[in-house]
C-alpha cells in the first residue's frame, strides 16, 4: 500500500512540475515611428510653399514658418505643393441671457418650490480658409465585407430611386412634342479634382471657421449673472481672439501633415509578461521583457531601425525558443507559448517585418489559443504592408531632409494598440 501511495505521489509531483502555473499579464510600451499620410508623392517632388493673406491682424512675422510638413522641403518658388491661407475677421458676439426653472414636488405631484437660475452665454467666431494646390494621389481605401455589403445596399437603393425618376422623366419628355429632338441631359458637375485657379490645380480646401463659446456660472440672481458677464466679456473675447491668432497655423500644419507629411507619432503598444515568479522561466522571461521595453522605447520616426533590430535579435530568439519548447496541449503551456508568440509578433510589427507577423499570427490562430489576437495581427500587418508598399517604404521611418526632420520628437499619441484590453 505504501508503495502505491509513493508511486502516486511521484506521478502527482511530476505532473505538477510539468504543468507549472502560468499567470500572464499585459504591460504597455511606448513606441515612436512615423504616421504615414493619405497621399504618396515621389521624394523628388516633396517641396512646398506657404502663403498667408487676408486680415493683417493675424498674420504677424514668420507665421509661414510655423507650417511645417515632415519629410518635405520648404521652398520659396516652384513648389510642387502650394498652401494658401486666407484669414478673415474675428467677430465678437453679443451676450445672450438664459434661464431655467426647476420645481420640487411632493409624492402627490404638488409643487413645493420653484427655483429659477440665470446665466449669460457668448459665441465669438473666427473665419478663414486654406487651399492646397498640387498633387492628389490618395491611398485607395479597402472596404471590409460589411462595408461592401452596406455600400452595395445603398447603391442599389439609389439606383432604384434613380430608375423610377428617369422612367417618369422619359414619359414626360415623350409626351411633350417640343422636347422630341432636344438633348435633355444635364452637364456633369465638376469635382474638386477638376477645379483650377490660374494654372494651379486645387487638391484640398480646409476651413478655419471656428466658434468659441463662453457661459457664466448659473446663479439665482439675474443681476449677478449679468455682472459676471460684463466683468469677463473683454478678457474672454481677447483670449478667444489670441487663441485663433496662435492656433490657426497649428491647425493647418496638422491637416497638411495628415495629407502629405511623415510625422512622428507614439503608440502605447501592449505586450505580455510572465507574472508567476515560481516558474522556471520567470527570470529569463522577465529580463527579456524589460530589455525589450528599453530597446523599443529608443525607436524614433527619423532614425533607422537596423540597430534596434540587431539588439532585439537575442530577445526574439529567446521567445522563439519558448514557443518551441512549451508545445504540450496543456492550458499552462499554451499560455506561456501564447505570450511568447504574441511578443514576437508585436516586435516584428514595429520592425515592419510584416511577413513574419502574418506567419506568427497564423500560428496563433492554428494553436486555438487567443485566436482573436492572431487574426488581428494578420489583419493589421496585411494593411500595413499595403500602406508601406503604396508609399514605397520599407519601414515607418524617414531619412531626415532638413533641420525640422532632425528634431528629437516622439510625436502625439496615436490610437492605443489593443484599445480596451
Amino acid at each position: 500500500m505504501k508503495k502505491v501511495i509513493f508511486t502516486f505521489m511521484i506521478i502527482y509531483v511530476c505532473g505538477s512540475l510539468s504543468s507549472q502555473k502560468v499567470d500572464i499579464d499585459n504591460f504597455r510600451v511606448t513606441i515612436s515611428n512615423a504616421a504615414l499620410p493619405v497621399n504618396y508623392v515621389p521624394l523628388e517632388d516633396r517641396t512646398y510653399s506657404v502663403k498667408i493673406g487676408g486680415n493683417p491682424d493675424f498674420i504677424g512675422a514668420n507665421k509661414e514658418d510655423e507650417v511645417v510638413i515632415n519629410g518635405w522641403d520648404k521652398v520659396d518658388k516652384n513648389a510642387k505643393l502650394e498652401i494658401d491661407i486666407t484669414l478673415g475677421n474675428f467677430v465678437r458676439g453679443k451676450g445672450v441671457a438664459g434661464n431655467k426653472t426647476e420645481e420640487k414636488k411632493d409624492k402627490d405631484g404638488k409643487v413645493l418650490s420653484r427655483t429659477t437660475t440665470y446665466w449669460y452665454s457668448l459665441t465669438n467666431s473666427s473665419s478663414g480658409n486654406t487651399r492646397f494646390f498640387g498633387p492628389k494621389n490618395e491611398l485607395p481605401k479597402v472596404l471590409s465585407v460589411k462595408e461592401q455589403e452596406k455600400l452595395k445596399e445603398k447603391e442599389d437603393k439609389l439606383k432604384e430611386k434613380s430608375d423610377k425618376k428617369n422612367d417618369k422623366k422619359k414619359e414626360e419628355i415623350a409626351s411633350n412634342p417640343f422636347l422630341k429632338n432636344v438633348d435633355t441631359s444635364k452637364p456633369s458637375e465638376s469635382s474638386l479634382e477638376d477645379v483650377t485657379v490660374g494654372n494651379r490645380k486645387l487638391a484640398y480646401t480646409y476651413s478655419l471657421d471656428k466658434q468659441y463659446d463662453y457661459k457664466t456660472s448659473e446663479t439665482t440672481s439675474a443681476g449677478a449673472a449679468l455682472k459676471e458677464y460684463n466683468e469677463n466679456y473683454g478678457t474672454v473675447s481677447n483670449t478667444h481672439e489670441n487663441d485663433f491668432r496662435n492656433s490657426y497655423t497649428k491647425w493647418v500644419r496638422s491637416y497638411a501633415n495628415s495629407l502629405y507629411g511623415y510625422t512622428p507619432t507614439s503608440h502605447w503598444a501592449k505586450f505580455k509578461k510572465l507574472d508567476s515568479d515560481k516558474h522556471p522561466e520567470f527570470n529569463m522571461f522577465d529580463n527579456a521583457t524589460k530589455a525589450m521595453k528599453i530597446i523599443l522605447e529608443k525607436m524614433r520616426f527619423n532614425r533607422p531601425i537596423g540597430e534596434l533590430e540587431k539588439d532585439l535579435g537575442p530577445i526574439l530568439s529567446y521567445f522563439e525558443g519558448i514557443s518551441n519548447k512549451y508545445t504540450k496541449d496543456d492550458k499552462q503551456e499554451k499560455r506561456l507559448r501564447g505570450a511568447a508568440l504574441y511578443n514576437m509578433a508585436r516586435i516584428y510589427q514595429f520592425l515592419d517585418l510584416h511577413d513574419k507577423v502574418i506567419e506568427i499570427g497564423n500560428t496563433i490562430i492554428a494553436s486555438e489559443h487567443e485566436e482573436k489576437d492572431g487574426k488581428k495581427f494578420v489583419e493589421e500587418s496585411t494593411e500595413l504592408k499595403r500602406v508601406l508598399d503604396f508609399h514605397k517604404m520599407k519601414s515607418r521611418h524617414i531619412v531626415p531632409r532638413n533641420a525640422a526632420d532632425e528634431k528629437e520628437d516622439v510625436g502625439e499619441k496615436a490610437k492605443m494598440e489593443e484599445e480596451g484590453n
Side-chain angles (χ1 to χ4, degrees):
M1 183 67 181
K2 287 182 179 179
K3 188 175 181 180
V4 172
I5 294 172
F6 180 71
T7 303
F8 175 78
M9 287 178 65
I10 290 175
I11 293 170
Y12 175 79
V13 169
C14 291
S16 297
L17 288 172
S18 66
S19 59
Q20 177 78 46
K21 185 179 179 183
V22 173
D23 287 328
I24 300 296
D25 282 346
N26 297 329
F27 76 104
R28 308 276 179 184
V29 177
T30 302
I31 302 173
S32 179
N33 54 20
L36 306 186
V38 171
N39 290 277
Y40 167 72
V41 178
L43 276 167
E44 63 272 17
D45 291 336
R46 292 179 196 170
T47 58
Y48 72 101
S49 64
V50 181
K51 183 175 72 176
I52 303 178
N55 193 332
D57 291 342
F58 299 106
I59 296 176
N62 303 319
K63 273 292 192 181
E64 289 91 347
D65 295 337
E66 294 177 11
V67 180
V68 176
I69 303 180
N70 291 104
W72 287 59
D73 283 325
K74 192 172 186 180
V75 295
D76 295 326
K77 58 183 180 179
N78 299 324
K80 296 295 184 180
L81 174 66
E82 298 177 11
I83 304 173
D84 287 2
I85 302 171
T86 304
L87 301 168
N89 296 322
F90 186 87
V91 179
R92 299 190 176 213
K94 294 182 179 179
V96 177
N99 67 78
K100 65 180 179 182
T101 300
E102 294 179 342
E103 297 179 340
K104 281 189 177 180
K105 299 179 181 180
D106 62 16
K107 61 182 180 180
D108 297 322
K110 182 181 177 181
V111 177
L112 301 176
S113 64
R114 289 187 178 88
T115 303
T116 302
T117 54
Y118 304 87
W119 66 84
Y120 273 79
S121 60
L122 165 73
T123 298
N124 296 319
S125 61
S126 67
S127 64
N129 67 78
T130 307
R131 295 186 296 176
F132 294 80
F133 297 95
K136 187 173 184 179
N137 177 29
E138 295 186 359
L139 173 72
K141 185 177 180 182
V142 175
L143 299 178
S144 66
V145 174
K146 283 186 178 179
E147 288 173 328
Q148 289 176 34
E149 289 172 353
K150 285 183 179 179
L151 182 62
K152 188 177 185 309
E153 186 180 338
K154 185 178 178 182
E155 287 174 346
D156 288 345
K157 285 181 180 178
L158 287 172
K159 186 177 183 302
E160 184 181 350
K161 188 176 179 181
S162 177
D163 288 345
K164 286 180 180 178
K165 189 175 179 181
N166 288 336
D167 289 343
K168 187 178 179 181
K169 189 174 180 181
K170 285 176 183 177
E171 288 175 9
E172 290 175 354
I173 292 171
S175 64
N176 189 331
F178 296 102
L179 295 175
K180 186 177 180 181
N181 298 313
V182 177
D183 182 4
T184 56
S185 60
K186 292 182 179 179
S188 61
E189 296 180 1
S190 62
S191 66
L192 186 63
E193 293 176 358
D194 300 322
V195 176
T196 57
V197 178
N199 60 349
R200 301 186 301 170
K201 190 172 183 179
L202 181 62
Y204 298 95
T205 62
Y206 176 69
S207 175
L208 297 175
D209 295 352
K210 182 176 174 64
Q211 286 192 343
Y212 292 88
D213 297 318
Y214 165 73
K215 182 183 175 183
T216 66
S217 55
E218 297 183 8
T219 174
T220 54
S221 167
L226 179 59
K227 181 182 178 185
E228 182 182 339
Y229 172 79
N230 288 333
E231 287 174 347
N232 293 332
Y233 169 77
T235 301
V236 166
S237 294
N238 287 341
T239 300
H240 290 169
E241 186 172 346
N242 284 329
D243 179 78
F244 176 67
R245 179 178 289 107
N246 297 327
S247 299
Y248 74 84
T249 51
K250 296 176 188 174
W251 304 338
V252 173
R253 174 176 178 165
S254 177
Y255 185 69
N257 276 284
S258 72
L259 295 174
Y260 297 103
Y262 296 81
T263 55
T265 186
S266 292
H267 304 264
W268 199 19
K270 187 177 81 172
F271 287 87
K272 306 282 187 179
K273 65 179 180 178
L274 178 59
D275 201 32
S276 304
D277 56 6
K278 303 291 186 187
H279 196 283
E281 293 290 347
F282 175 76
N283 287 332
M284 283 296 287
F285 206 103
D286 190 53
N287 285 333
T289 53
K290 286 176 178 175
M292 175 188 69
K293 178 178 169 67
I294 290 170
I295 295 166
L296 284 174
E297 289 189 344
K298 296 193 312 183
M299 188 178 286
R300 294 294 181 270
F301 87 112
N302 53 1
R303 297 289 178 265
I305 57 173
E307 185 177 338
L308 297 182
E309 185 177 349
K310 181 182 175 183
D311 291 342
L312 288 165
I315 297 169
L316 285 163
S317 295
Y318 170 71
F319 286 138
E320 185 176 8
I322 290 292
S323 70
N324 292 329
K325 179 180 178 182
Y326 294 88
T327 57
K328 291 181 181 177
D329 190 20
D330 168 86
K331 183 171 71 173
Q332 306 302 331
E333 291 207 6
K334 277 187 172 183
R335 284 178 181 170
L336 186 59
R337 182 169 69 250
L341 288 169
Y342 186 98
N343 287 348
M344 287 171 66
R346 187 61 84 200
I347 292 171
Y348 281 128
Q349 195 167 61
F350 282 102
L351 292 175
D352 287 305
L353 298 171
H354 297 291
D355 287 334
K356 288 271 193 183
V357 181
I358 293 168
E359 180 185 336
I360 295 169
N362 285 323
T363 300
I364 294 172
I365 294 168
S367 74
E368 298 183 349
H369 178 74
E370 305 291 359
E371 296 102 313
K372 281 178 67 176
D373 287 337
K375 289 176 182 176
K376 190 157 188 178
F377 279 128
V378 172
E379 181 183 308
E380 288 174 343
S381 278
T382 299
E383 176 61 10
L384 284 168
K385 267 189 74 175
R386 186 179 78 92
V387 175
L388 284 167
D389 287 345
F390 176 75
H391 285 280
K392 297 176 172 48
M393 296 172 71
K394 297 290 187 185
S395 71
R396 288 167 284 173
H397 300 267
I398 67 167
V399 176
R401 294 168 65 105
N402 47 53
D405 290 344
E406 284 282 1
K407 288 182 180 178
E408 175 77 9
D409 191 352
V410 296
E412 295 181 2
K413 279 268 166 55
K415 182 181 177 183
M416 187 188 300
E417 298 288 331
E418 305 295 332
E419 194 166 8
N421 291 327

